[in-house]
Amino acid sequence: MKFANGSFRARATNAQLGETSTGKHQVGVRFRILEGPDNGKEIAWYGFLTEKTADRTVESLRYAGLQGDDLTDLSTVGTLECVIVISDEEYNGKTQSKVRWVNALGGGNLGSKEIAPTDKRVLAETFRNLLRTKPALS
């Protein structure tokens, strides 16, 4: 099924541990989209549980509401709203929609560490002239 690309509020409706056809462990989560052109539709996300990917997969499950430290108990997944990022992927000549990321709802963290106030002032002064050459849009 084709979905609109972008970031959308969502809530998990189902989660289960599984295994890929190549034997890699994964967790599958079905999300119901809560806004936008696909409001009410559901899409699956698969998080892999390999050495390289487990940390981000567990983080994503936490964003969806996972409590505790027992991965066999996924009953709390879906207790929190989160944001899913959907984009198209081409595979074997076919384009399909895929959940790329599961992120926290809101949170205010823009993915970087905030700098100290004195460093902010120095940075602002450094770029003041550039800002003056690019007027604000009205």
Side-chain angles (χ1 to χ4, degrees), residues 47-61:
F48 296 97
L49 297 166
T50 66
E51 189 175 320
K52 287 177 137 181
T53 61
D55 189 64
R56 181 60 170 114
T57 295
V58 168
E59 186 177 54
S60 296
L61 290 170

Side-chain angles (χ1 to χ4, degrees), residues 97-133:
S97 297
K98 180 177 180 179
V99 176
R100 294 282 183 192
W101 300 102
V102 178
N103 295 320
L105 184 65
N109 183 345
L110 299 176
S112 63
K113 179 181 161 198
E114 189 169 7
I115 63 176
T118 54
D119 293 336
K120 283 182 185 180
R121 285 190 289 276
V122 169
L123 190 62
E125 193 57 43
T126 301
F127 287 96
R128 187 174 313 282
N129 286 334
L130 177 61
L131 286 166
R132 287 178 179 154
T133 67

Side-chain angles (χ1 to χ4, degrees), residues 72-87:
T72 65
D73 180 7
L74 299 174
S75 63
T76 56
V77 175
T79 57
L80 294 177
E81 284 186 14
C82 54
V83 173
I84 59 173
V85 179
I86 300 172
S87 64

Side-chain angles (χ1 to χ4, degrees), residues 20-56:
T20 68
S21 60
T22 59
K24 291 182 182 173
H25 293 119
Q26 67 180 6
V27 60
V29 179
R30 181 162 297 282
F31 285 98
R32 177 169 290 125
I33 300 169
L34 301 176
E35 64 183 350
D38 295 310
N39 186 17
K41 292 182 183 175
E42 294 190 357
I43 186 171
W45 166 77
Y46 298 94
F48 296 97
L49 297 166
T50 66
E51 189 175 320
K52 287 177 137 181
T53 61
D55 189 64
R56 181 60 170 114

